[in-house]
Short mmCIF file of all heavy atoms in Angstrom, two decimals:
data_model
loop_
_atom_site.label_atom_id
_atom_site.label_comp_id
_atom_site.label_asym_id
_atom_site.label_seq_id
_atom_site.Cartn_x
_atom_site.Cartn_y
_atom_site.Cartn_z
N MET J 11 0.84 -1.19 0.00
CA MET J 11 0.00 0.00 0.00
C MET J 11 0.88 1.24 0.00
O MET J 11 1.87 1.30 0.70
CB MET J 11 -0.90 -0.04 1.24
CG MET J 11 -1.80 1.12 1.33
SD MET J 11 -2.95 0.84 2.70
CE MET J 11 -4.07 2.08 2.33
N ARG J 12 0.48 2.21 -0.79
CA ARG J 12 1.25 3.44 -0.95
C ARG J 12 0.93 4.42 0.18
O ARG J 12 -0.22 4.59 0.56
CB ARG J 12 0.88 4.05 -2.29
CG ARG J 12 1.76 5.16 -2.70
CD ARG J 12 1.38 5.60 -4.11
NE ARG J 12 1.42 7.05 -4.10
CZ ARG J 12 0.68 7.83 -4.83
NH1 ARG J 12 -0.20 7.31 -5.64
NH2 ARG J 12 0.80 9.12 -4.78
N ASN J 13 1.97 5.05 0.70
CA ASN J 13 1.79 6.04 1.77
C ASN J 13 1.43 7.38 1.14
O ASN J 13 2.20 7.95 0.39
CB ASN J 13 3.08 6.15 2.60
CG ASN J 13 2.90 7.05 3.80
OD1 ASN J 13 1.86 7.66 3.97
ND2 ASN J 13 3.92 7.11 4.62
N SER J 14 0.24 7.88 1.44
CA SER J 14 -0.21 9.14 0.82
C SER J 14 -0.10 10.32 1.78
O SER J 14 -0.64 11.36 1.50
CB SER J 14 -1.65 8.98 0.34
OG SER J 14 -2.50 8.69 1.42
N SER J 15 0.58 10.16 2.88
CA SER J 15 0.70 11.25 3.85
C SER J 15 1.29 12.52 3.25
O SER J 15 0.77 13.61 3.49
CB SER J 15 1.53 10.82 5.06
OG SER J 15 0.80 9.88 5.81
N PRO J 16 2.38 12.44 2.44
CA PRO J 16 2.89 13.70 1.86
C PRO J 16 1.85 14.38 0.97
O PRO J 16 1.74 15.60 0.97
CB PRO J 16 4.10 13.24 1.03
CG PRO J 16 4.53 11.96 1.67
CD PRO J 16 3.26 11.32 2.16
N GLU J 17 1.07 13.61 0.25
CA GLU J 17 0.03 14.20 -0.60
C GLU J 17 -1.06 14.85 0.26
O GLU J 17 -1.55 15.93 -0.07
CB GLU J 17 -0.58 13.15 -1.50
CG GLU J 17 0.34 12.66 -2.59
CD GLU J 17 -0.27 11.54 -3.41
OE1 GLU J 17 -1.50 11.34 -3.33
OE2 GLU J 17 0.49 10.89 -4.13
N ILE J 18 -1.42 14.19 1.34
CA ILE J 18 -2.43 14.76 2.23
C ILE J 18 -1.93 16.07 2.82
O ILE J 18 -2.66 17.07 2.85
CB ILE J 18 -2.80 13.75 3.34
CG1 ILE J 18 -3.58 12.59 2.73
CG2 ILE J 18 -3.62 14.44 4.44
CD1 ILE J 18 -3.85 11.46 3.71
N TYR J 19 -0.67 16.10 3.28
CA TYR J 19 -0.11 17.33 3.84
C TYR J 19 -0.02 18.43 2.79
O TYR J 19 -0.30 19.59 3.07
CB TYR J 19 1.26 17.07 4.47
CG TYR J 19 1.18 16.27 5.75
CD1 TYR J 19 1.89 15.09 5.90
CD2 TYR J 19 0.38 16.68 6.80
CE1 TYR J 19 1.81 14.33 7.07
CE2 TYR J 19 0.28 15.94 7.97
CZ TYR J 19 1.00 14.77 8.10
OH TYR J 19 0.92 14.04 9.25
N ALA J 20 0.35 18.05 1.58
CA ALA J 20 0.44 19.05 0.51
C ALA J 20 -0.95 19.61 0.19
O ALA J 20 -1.11 20.82 0.01
CB ALA J 20 1.07 18.42 -0.74
N ASN J 21 -1.93 18.73 0.12
CA ASN J 21 -3.30 19.19 -0.14
C ASN J 21 -3.82 20.06 1.00
O ASN J 21 -4.47 21.07 0.76
CB ASN J 21 -4.23 18.01 -0.38
CG ASN J 21 -4.00 17.32 -1.70
OD1 ASN J 21 -3.45 17.91 -2.62
ND2 ASN J 21 -4.39 16.06 -1.79
N SER J 22 -3.52 19.66 2.22
CA SER J 22 -3.95 20.45 3.38
C SER J 22 -3.30 21.83 3.36
O SER J 22 -3.95 22.84 3.64
CB SER J 22 -3.59 19.74 4.69
OG SER J 22 -4.32 18.55 4.80
N ALA J 23 -2.03 21.88 3.01
CA ALA J 23 -1.33 23.17 2.95
C ALA J 23 -1.94 24.03 1.85
O ALA J 23 -2.12 25.25 2.02
CB ALA J 23 0.15 22.95 2.69
N GLU J 24 -2.26 23.43 0.72
CA GLU J 24 -2.87 24.17 -0.39
C GLU J 24 -4.25 24.69 0.01
O GLU J 24 -4.60 25.84 -0.29
CB GLU J 24 -2.97 23.29 -1.64
CG GLU J 24 -3.60 23.96 -2.82
CD GLU J 24 -2.79 25.10 -3.40
OE1 GLU J 24 -1.60 25.27 -3.03
OE2 GLU J 24 -3.34 25.85 -4.23
N ILE J 25 -5.01 23.87 0.70
CA ILE J 25 -6.34 24.30 1.16
C ILE J 25 -6.20 25.47 2.13
O ILE J 25 -6.94 26.46 2.04
CB ILE J 25 -7.10 23.12 1.81
CG1 ILE J 25 -7.51 22.12 0.72
CG2 ILE J 25 -8.32 23.62 2.58
CD1 ILE J 25 -8.05 20.80 1.26
N ARG J 26 -5.25 25.40 3.05
CA ARG J 26 -5.04 26.51 3.99
C ARG J 26 -4.63 27.78 3.26
O ARG J 26 -5.09 28.88 3.57
CB ARG J 26 -3.98 26.14 5.03
CG ARG J 26 -4.51 25.30 6.16
CD ARG J 26 -3.52 25.22 7.32
NE ARG J 26 -2.22 24.64 6.93
CZ ARG J 26 -1.96 23.34 6.84
NH1 ARG J 26 -2.91 22.47 7.10
NH2 ARG J 26 -0.75 22.92 6.49
N ARG J 27 -3.77 27.65 2.24
CA ARG J 27 -3.33 28.81 1.47
C ARG J 27 -4.51 29.45 0.75
O ARG J 27 -4.69 30.67 0.78
CB ARG J 27 -2.26 28.39 0.45
CG ARG J 27 -1.66 29.58 -0.30
CD ARG J 27 -0.82 29.13 -1.48
NE ARG J 27 -1.63 28.52 -2.53
CZ ARG J 27 -2.41 29.19 -3.39
NH1 ARG J 27 -2.53 30.50 -3.29
NH2 ARG J 27 -3.10 28.56 -4.32
N VAL J 28 -5.37 28.63 0.15
CA VAL J 28 -6.54 29.15 -0.55
C VAL J 28 -7.51 29.80 0.43
O VAL J 28 -8.04 30.88 0.16
CB VAL J 28 -7.23 28.03 -1.37
CG1 VAL J 28 -8.58 28.48 -1.90
CG2 VAL J 28 -6.33 27.56 -2.50
N GLU J 29 -7.72 29.18 1.57
CA GLU J 29 -8.61 29.75 2.59
C GLU J 29 -8.08 31.11 3.05
O GLU J 29 -8.86 32.06 3.21
CB GLU J 29 -8.74 28.82 3.79
CG GLU J 29 -9.60 27.61 3.55
CD GLU J 29 -9.63 26.66 4.74
OE1 GLU J 29 -8.70 26.68 5.58
OE2 GLU J 29 -10.60 25.88 4.83
N GLU J 30 -6.78 31.22 3.27
CA GLU J 30 -6.20 32.49 3.70
C GLU J 30 -6.35 33.56 2.61
O GLU J 30 -6.63 34.72 2.91
CB GLU J 30 -4.73 32.30 4.07
CG GLU J 30 -4.55 31.53 5.37
CD GLU J 30 -3.10 31.17 5.65
OE1 GLU J 30 -2.22 31.55 4.85
OE2 GLU J 30 -2.86 30.50 6.67
N ALA J 31 -6.17 33.16 1.36
CA ALA J 31 -6.33 34.12 0.26
C ALA J 31 -7.78 34.58 0.16
O ALA J 31 -8.05 35.78 -0.02
CB ALA J 31 -5.88 33.48 -1.06
N ILE J 32 -8.71 33.65 0.30
CA ILE J 32 -10.13 34.02 0.26
C ILE J 32 -10.49 34.93 1.43
O ILE J 32 -11.20 35.92 1.26
CB ILE J 32 -11.02 32.76 0.24
CG1 ILE J 32 -10.88 32.03 -1.10
CG2 ILE J 32 -12.48 33.11 0.51
CD1 ILE J 32 -11.53 30.67 -1.13
N LEU J 33 -9.98 34.61 2.60
CA LEU J 33 -10.25 35.44 3.78
C LEU J 33 -9.68 36.85 3.59
O LEU J 33 -10.35 37.84 3.92
CB LEU J 33 -9.66 34.80 5.04
CG LEU J 33 -9.85 35.57 6.34
CD1 LEU J 33 -11.34 35.75 6.65
CD2 LEU J 33 -9.16 34.86 7.48
N ALA J 34 -8.48 36.94 3.04
CA ALA J 34 -7.89 38.26 2.80
C ALA J 34 -8.72 39.05 1.79
O ALA J 34 -8.98 40.24 1.99
CB ALA J 34 -6.45 38.10 2.30
N ASP J 35 -9.16 38.37 0.72
CA ASP J 35 -10.00 39.05 -0.27
C ASP J 35 -11.33 39.49 0.34
O ASP J 35 -11.81 40.59 0.11
CB ASP J 35 -10.28 38.14 -1.46
CG ASP J 35 -9.07 37.97 -2.37
OD1 ASP J 35 -8.12 38.76 -2.23
OD2 ASP J 35 -9.09 37.04 -3.20
N PHE J 36 -11.93 38.63 1.15
CA PHE J 36 -13.20 38.96 1.79
C PHE J 36 -13.03 40.13 2.74
O PHE J 36 -13.87 41.05 2.77
CB PHE J 36 -13.76 37.75 2.53
CG PHE J 36 -15.06 38.03 3.22
CD1 PHE J 36 -16.24 38.09 2.50
CD2 PHE J 36 -15.10 38.26 4.59
CE1 PHE J 36 -17.45 38.37 3.13
CE2 PHE J 36 -16.30 38.54 5.22
CZ PHE J 36 -17.46 38.60 4.49
N THR J 37 -11.96 40.12 3.51
CA THR J 37 -11.70 41.21 4.47
C THR J 37 -11.52 42.53 3.73
O THR J 37 -12.06 43.56 4.14
CB THR J 37 -10.46 40.88 5.32
OG1 THR J 37 -10.70 39.66 6.01
CG2 THR J 37 -10.18 41.97 6.33
N ARG J 38 -10.78 42.50 2.62
CA ARG J 38 -10.59 43.71 1.81
C ARG J 38 -11.92 44.18 1.24
O ARG J 38 -12.26 45.37 1.31
CB ARG J 38 -9.60 43.41 0.68
CG ARG J 38 -9.26 44.62 -0.17
CD ARG J 38 -8.23 44.26 -1.24
NE ARG J 38 -8.65 43.14 -2.06
CZ ARG J 38 -9.47 43.22 -3.10
NH1 ARG J 38 -10.02 44.37 -3.42
NH2 ARG J 38 -9.79 42.15 -3.80
N PHE J 39 -12.70 43.27 0.71
CA PHE J 39 -14.01 43.60 0.15
C PHE J 39 -14.93 44.18 1.22
O PHE J 39 -15.63 45.17 1.00
CB PHE J 39 -14.64 42.36 -0.48
CG PHE J 39 -16.00 42.59 -1.06
CD1 PHE J 39 -16.16 43.34 -2.21
CD2 PHE J 39 -17.12 42.06 -0.44
CE1 PHE J 39 -17.43 43.55 -2.75
CE2 PHE J 39 -18.38 42.28 -0.97
CZ PHE J 39 -18.53 43.03 -2.12
N GLU J 40 -14.91 43.57 2.41
CA GLU J 40 -15.75 44.05 3.52
C GLU J 40 -15.36 45.48 3.89
O GLU J 40 -16.23 46.32 4.16
CB GLU J 40 -15.57 43.11 4.71
CG GLU J 40 -16.47 43.41 5.88
CD GLU J 40 -16.26 42.43 7.02
OE1 GLU J 40 -15.12 41.99 7.25
OE2 GLU J 40 -17.26 42.10 7.66
N GLY J 41 -14.07 45.78 3.89
CA GLY J 41 -13.62 47.13 4.19
C GLY J 41 -14.11 48.14 3.16
O GLY J 41 -14.53 49.25 3.49
N ILE J 42 -14.07 47.74 1.89
CA ILE J 42 -14.55 48.62 0.81
C ILE J 42 -16.04 48.88 0.96
O ILE J 42 -16.51 50.02 0.86
CB ILE J 42 -14.23 48.00 -0.57
CG1 ILE J 42 -12.72 48.02 -0.81
CG2 ILE J 42 -14.96 48.74 -1.68
CD1 ILE J 42 -12.29 47.18 -2.00
N VAL J 43 -16.80 47.84 1.24
CA VAL J 43 -18.26 47.98 1.42
C VAL J 43 -18.54 48.88 2.62
O VAL J 43 -19.40 49.77 2.54
CB VAL J 43 -18.94 46.61 1.57
CG1 VAL J 43 -20.38 46.76 2.02
CG2 VAL J 43 -18.86 45.83 0.27
N ASP J 44 -17.82 48.68 3.72
CA ASP J 44 -18.03 49.51 4.90
C ASP J 44 -17.76 50.99 4.60
O ASP J 44 -18.53 51.86 5.00
CB ASP J 44 -17.13 49.05 6.06
CG ASP J 44 -17.61 47.77 6.70
OD1 ASP J 44 -18.77 47.36 6.45
OD2 ASP J 44 -16.83 47.15 7.46
N MET J 45 -16.67 51.26 3.87
CA MET J 45 -16.35 52.65 3.53
C MET J 45 -17.44 53.26 2.65
O MET J 45 -17.82 54.42 2.85
CB MET J 45 -15.01 52.74 2.81
CG MET J 45 -13.82 52.52 3.71
SD MET J 45 -12.22 52.85 2.90
CE MET J 45 -12.26 51.72 1.52
N ARG J 46 -17.94 52.49 1.71
CA ARG J 46 -19.00 53.01 0.83
C ARG J 46 -20.29 53.25 1.60
O ARG J 46 -21.00 54.22 1.35
CB ARG J 46 -19.22 52.08 -0.34
CG ARG J 46 -18.06 52.13 -1.31
CD ARG J 46 -18.30 51.31 -2.53
NE ARG J 46 -17.16 51.41 -3.43
CZ ARG J 46 -17.05 50.76 -4.55
NH1 ARG J 46 -18.02 49.96 -4.94
NH2 ARG J 46 -15.98 50.89 -5.31
N LEU J 47 -20.61 52.37 2.54
CA LEU J 47 -21.81 52.57 3.35
C LEU J 47 -21.69 53.82 4.21
O LEU J 47 -22.66 54.58 4.36
CB LEU J 47 -22.08 51.35 4.23
CG LEU J 47 -22.63 50.13 3.50
CD1 LEU J 47 -22.69 48.93 4.46
CD2 LEU J 47 -24.00 50.40 2.92
N VAL J 48 -20.51 54.05 4.77
CA VAL J 48 -20.30 55.27 5.56
C VAL J 48 -20.47 56.50 4.68
O VAL J 48 -21.14 57.46 5.06
CB VAL J 48 -18.90 55.25 6.22
CG1 VAL J 48 -18.53 56.61 6.77
CG2 VAL J 48 -18.85 54.20 7.33
N ALA J 49 -19.90 56.46 3.48
CA ALA J 49 -20.03 57.59 2.56
C ALA J 49 -21.49 57.81 2.17
O ALA J 49 -21.96 58.95 2.10
CB ALA J 49 -19.18 57.36 1.31
N MET J 50 -22.23 56.73 1.94
CA MET J 50 -23.65 56.86 1.59
C MET J 50 -24.44 57.45 2.75
O MET J 50 -25.30 58.31 2.55
CB MET J 50 -24.22 55.50 1.20
CG MET J 50 -23.77 55.02 -0.16
SD MET J 50 -24.29 53.34 -0.54
CE MET J 50 -26.06 53.46 -0.43
N ASN J 51 -24.16 56.99 3.96
CA ASN J 51 -24.85 57.53 5.14
C ASN J 51 -24.56 59.01 5.31
O ASN J 51 -25.46 59.80 5.64
CB ASN J 51 -24.46 56.76 6.39
CG ASN J 51 -25.14 55.43 6.50
OD1 ASN J 51 -26.19 55.21 5.91
ND2 ASN J 51 -24.54 54.51 7.23
N GLU J 52 -23.31 59.41 5.08
CA GLU J 52 -22.96 60.83 5.20
C GLU J 52 -23.70 61.65 4.14
O GLU J 52 -24.19 62.74 4.43
CB GLU J 52 -21.45 61.00 5.07
CG GLU J 52 -20.69 60.50 6.28
CD GLU J 52 -19.18 60.51 6.10
OE1 GLU J 52 -18.71 60.79 4.96
OE2 GLU J 52 -18.48 60.21 7.07
N MET J 53 -23.77 61.12 2.93
CA MET J 53 -24.48 61.83 1.86
C MET J 53 -25.97 61.93 2.17
O MET J 53 -26.59 62.98 1.97
CB MET J 53 -24.27 61.13 0.52
CG MET J 53 -24.97 61.82 -0.63
SD MET J 53 -24.46 63.52 -0.90
CE MET J 53 -22.93 63.26 -1.75
N LEU J 54 -26.56 60.86 2.66
CA LEU J 54 -27.98 60.90 3.02
C LEU J 54 -28.24 61.91 4.14
O LEU J 54 -29.24 62.65 4.09
CB LEU J 54 -28.46 59.51 3.45
CG LEU J 54 -28.67 58.51 2.32
CD1 LEU J 54 -28.93 57.13 2.90
CD2 LEU J 54 -29.83 58.94 1.44
N GLU J 55 -27.35 61.95 5.11
CA GLU J 55 -27.51 62.92 6.21
C GLU J 55 -27.40 64.35 5.68
O GLU J 55 -28.17 65.23 6.06
CB GLU J 55 -26.48 62.66 7.31
CG GLU J 55 -26.56 63.60 8.49
CD GLU J 55 -27.89 63.57 9.23
OE1 GLU J 55 -28.65 62.58 9.10
OE2 GLU J 55 -28.19 64.55 9.93
N PHE J 56 -26.45 64.59 4.80
CA PHE J 56 -26.31 65.91 4.19
C PHE J 56 -27.57 66.29 3.43
O PHE J 56 -28.08 67.41 3.56
CB PHE J 56 -25.08 65.92 3.26
CG PHE J 56 -24.97 67.17 2.44
CD1 PHE J 56 -24.50 68.34 3.01
CD2 PHE J 56 -25.35 67.17 1.11
CE1 PHE J 56 -24.41 69.49 2.26
CE2 PHE J 56 -25.27 68.33 0.35
CZ PHE J 56 -24.80 69.49 0.91
N MET J 57 -28.07 65.37 2.63
CA MET J 57 -29.27 65.65 1.84
C MET J 57 -30.49 65.86 2.74
O MET J 57 -31.32 66.73 2.46
CB MET J 57 -29.53 64.51 0.86
CG MET J 57 -28.47 64.40 -0.22
SD MET J 57 -28.68 62.97 -1.28
CE MET J 57 -29.91 63.60 -2.39
N ARG J 58 -30.58 65.10 3.83
CA ARG J 58 -31.69 65.28 4.78
C ARG J 58 -31.65 66.68 5.38
O ARG J 58 -32.67 67.37 5.44
CB ARG J 58 -31.61 64.23 5.89
CG ARG J 58 -32.79 64.27 6.86
CD ARG J 58 -32.55 63.40 8.08
NE ARG J 58 -31.53 63.93 8.95
CZ ARG J 58 -31.69 64.93 9.82
NH1 ARG J 58 -32.86 65.54 9.92
NH2 ARG J 58 -30.71 65.33 10.58
N ARG J 59 -30.47 67.11 5.79
CA ARG J 59 -30.34 68.45 6.38
C ARG J 59 -30.65 69.54 5.37
O ARG J 59 -31.30 70.54 5.69
CB ARG J 59 -28.94 68.64 6.95
CG ARG J 59 -28.69 67.83 8.20
CD ARG J 59 -27.31 68.05 8.72
NE ARG J 59 -27.07 67.24 9.91
CZ ARG J 59 -25.96 67.21 10.57
NH1 ARG J 59 -24.94 67.97 10.19
NH2 ARG J 59 -25.82 66.45 11.64
N GLU J 60 -30.16 69.34 4.14
CA GLU J 60 -30.43 70.33 3.10
C GLU J 60 -31.92 70.42 2.79
O GLU J 60 -32.48 71.51 2.66
CB GLU J 60 -29.65 69.94 1.84
CG GLU J 60 -29.66 71.00 0.77
CD GLU J 60 -28.73 70.63 -0.37
OE1 GLU J 60 -27.52 70.88 -0.25
OE2 GLU J 60 -29.25 70.10 -1.37
N LEU J 61 -32.58 69.28 2.69
CA LEU J 61 -34.01 69.26 2.42
C LEU J 61 -34.79 69.89 3.57
O LEU J 61 -35.73 70.67 3.35
CB LEU J 61 -34.49 67.83 2.19
CG LEU J 61 -35.95 67.64 1.81
CD1 LEU J 61 -36.29 68.42 0.56
CD2 LEU J 61 -36.25 66.17 1.62
N LEU J 62 -34.40 69.60 4.78
CA LEU J 62 -35.06 70.19 5.95
C LEU J 62 -34.92 71.71 5.93
O LEU J 62 -35.89 72.44 6.19
CB LEU J 62 -34.48 69.62 7.24
CG LEU J 62 -35.13 70.07 8.53
CD1 LEU J 62 -36.61 69.71 8.56
CD2 LEU J 62 -34.41 69.45 9.72
N ALA J 63 -33.74 72.21 5.58
CA ALA J 63 -33.53 73.65 5.50
C ALA J 63 -34.40 74.27 4.41
O ALA J 63 -34.98 75.34 4.60
CB ALA J 63 -32.05 73.95 5.24
N GLU J 64 -34.53 73.60 3.28
CA GLU J 64 -35.38 74.10 2.20
C GLU J 64 -36.84 74.11 2.61
O GLU J 64 -37.58 75.04 2.27
CB GLU J 64 -35.17 73.27 0.94
CG GLU J 64 -33.82 73.50 0.28
CD GLU J 64 -33.63 72.69 -0.98
OE1 GLU J 64 -34.64 72.23 -1.55
OE2 GLU J 64 -32.48 72.52 -1.39
N ILE J 65 -37.27 73.09 3.33
CA ILE J 65 -38.66 73.04 3.80
C ILE J 65 -38.93 74.17 4.78
O ILE J 65 -39.96 74.86 4.68
CB ILE J 65 -38.97 71.67 4.45
CG1 ILE J 65 -38.99 70.58 3.38
CG2 ILE J 65 -40.28 71.71 5.21
CD1 ILE J 65 -39.03 69.16 3.94
N LYS J 66 -38.01 74.40 5.70
CA LYS J 66 -38.18 75.50 6.66
C LYS J 66 -38.22 76.84 5.95
O LYS J 66 -39.02 77.72 6.29
CB LYS J 66 -37.06 75.48 7.70
CG LYS J 66 -37.19 74.36 8.70
CD LYS J 66 -36.05 74.39 9.71
CE LYS J 66 -36.20 73.28 10.72
NZ LYS J 66 -35.11 73.28 11.72
N PHE J 67 -37.35 77.02 4.95
CA PHE J 67 -37.33 78.27 4.20
C PHE J 67 -38.65 78.47 3.45
O PHE J 67 -39.22 79.57 3.47
CB PHE J 67 -36.15 78.27 3.22
CG PHE J 67 -36.06 79.51 2.39
CD1 PHE J 67 -35.60 80.69 2.94
CD2 PHE J 67 -36.45 79.50 1.05
CE1 PHE J 67 -35.52 81.84 2.17
CE2 PHE J 67 -36.38 80.64 0.28
CZ PHE J 67 -35.91 81.82 0.84
N ALA J 68 -39.14 77.43 2.81
CA ALA J 68 -40.40 77.53 2.07
C ALA J 68 -41.56 77.80 3.03
O ALA J 68 -42.47 78.57 2.70
CB ALA J 68 -40.65 76.24 1.28
N ASP J 69 -41.53 77.23 4.21
CA ASP J 69 -42.57 77.45 5.20
C ASP J 69 -42.57 78.90 5.66
O ASP J 69 -43.64 79.52 5.81
CB ASP J 69 -42.37 76.50 6.39
CG ASP J 69 -43.55 76.50 7.34
OD1 ASP J 69 -44.71 76.53 6.86
OD2 ASP J 69 -43.30 76.50 8.57
N LYS J 70 -41.39 79.47 5.86
CA LYS J 70 -41.30 80.89 6.25
C LYS J 70 -41.85 81.79 5.16
O LYS J 70 -42.51 82.78 5.43
CB LYS J 70 -39.85 81.27 6.56
CG LYS J 70 -39.36 80.74 7.88
CD LYS J 70 -37.92 81.16 8.13
CE LYS J 70 -37.39 80.56 9.42
NZ LYS J 70 -36.00 80.94 9.65
N GLU J 71 -41.53 81.47 3.90
CA GLU J 71 -42.04 82.28 2.78
C GLU J 71 -43.56 82.21 2.70
O GLU J 71 -44.22 83.20 2.42
CB GLU J 71 -41.41 81.82 1.46
CG GLU J 71 -40.00 82.27 1.26
CD GLU J 71 -39.49 81.94 -0.12
OE1 GLU J 71 -40.03 81.03 -0.78
OE2 GLU J 71 -38.54 82.61 -0.56
N ASP J 72 -44.12 81.00 2.92
CA ASP J 72 -45.57 80.84 2.88
C ASP J 72 -46.25 81.64 4.01
O ASP J 72 -47.29 82.26 3.79
CB ASP J 72 -45.96 79.36 3.02
CG ASP J 72 -45.70 78.58 1.75
OD1 ASP J 72 -45.50 79.19 0.68
OD2 ASP J 72 -45.70 77.33 1.83
N LYS J 73 -45.65 81.66 5.17
CA LYS J 73 -46.24 82.37 6.31
C LYS J 73 -46.12 83.88 6.10
O LYS J 73 -46.97 84.64 6.56
CB LYS J 73 -45.56 81.95 7.61
CG LYS J 73 -45.95 80.56 8.03
CD LYS J 73 -45.27 80.15 9.33
CE LYS J 73 -45.67 78.73 9.70
NZ LYS J 73 -45.00 78.26 10.90
N ALA J 74 -45.05 84.32 5.42
CA ALA J 74 -44.86 85.75 5.17
C ALA J 74 -45.80 86.26 4.10
O ALA J 74 -46.16 87.43 4.08
CB ALA J 74 -43.41 86.02 4.76
N ALA J 75 -46.23 85.40 3.23
CA ALA J 75 -47.09 85.83 2.10
C ALA J 75 -48.53 86.00 2.48
O ALA J 75 -49.15 86.00 3.36
CB ALA J 75 -47.02 84.80 0.98
#
């Protein structure tokens, strides 16, 4: 019977290398998504404040008229 231990260790090492590469890619992707979500939230907050200011301004004009 042939001893396949070196092949098993080589395959295990390759699997670990691929898992680490996938984890690194996922971590990088997760960071990019997080940064984009933060930027979107900041933009939404800016737009909310701008819209609120426009509504208040329009309300003042309506009351003055």
Side-chain angles (χ1 to χ4, degrees):
M11 181 172 193
R12 191 175 139 211
N13 186 354
S14 61
S15 290
E17 290 176 15
I18 290 173
Y19 289 125
N21 289 338
S22 295
E24 179 67 11
I25 290 170
R26 279 193 300 278
R27 186 191 67 76
V28 170
E29 285 176 338
E30 289 172 2
I32 290 171
L33 179 60
D35 286 346
F36 179 77
T37 301
R38 183 178 54 82
F39 179 71
E40 185 179 36
I42 291 168
V43 169
D44 286 346
M45 287 188 302
R46 289 185 179 177
L47 286 173
V48 167
M50 287 173 59
N51 283 337
E52 289 173 353
M53 180 60 78
L54 285 171
E55 180 61 20
F56 171 78
M57 293 174 82
R58 185 191 69 79
R59 289 180 182 180
E60 190 173 277
L61 183 57
L62 184 59
E64 289 181 19
I65 290 169
K66 287 180 179 180
F67 179 75
D69 190 41
K70 285 181 183 179
E71 284 187 337
D72 285 345
K73 288 180 181 177

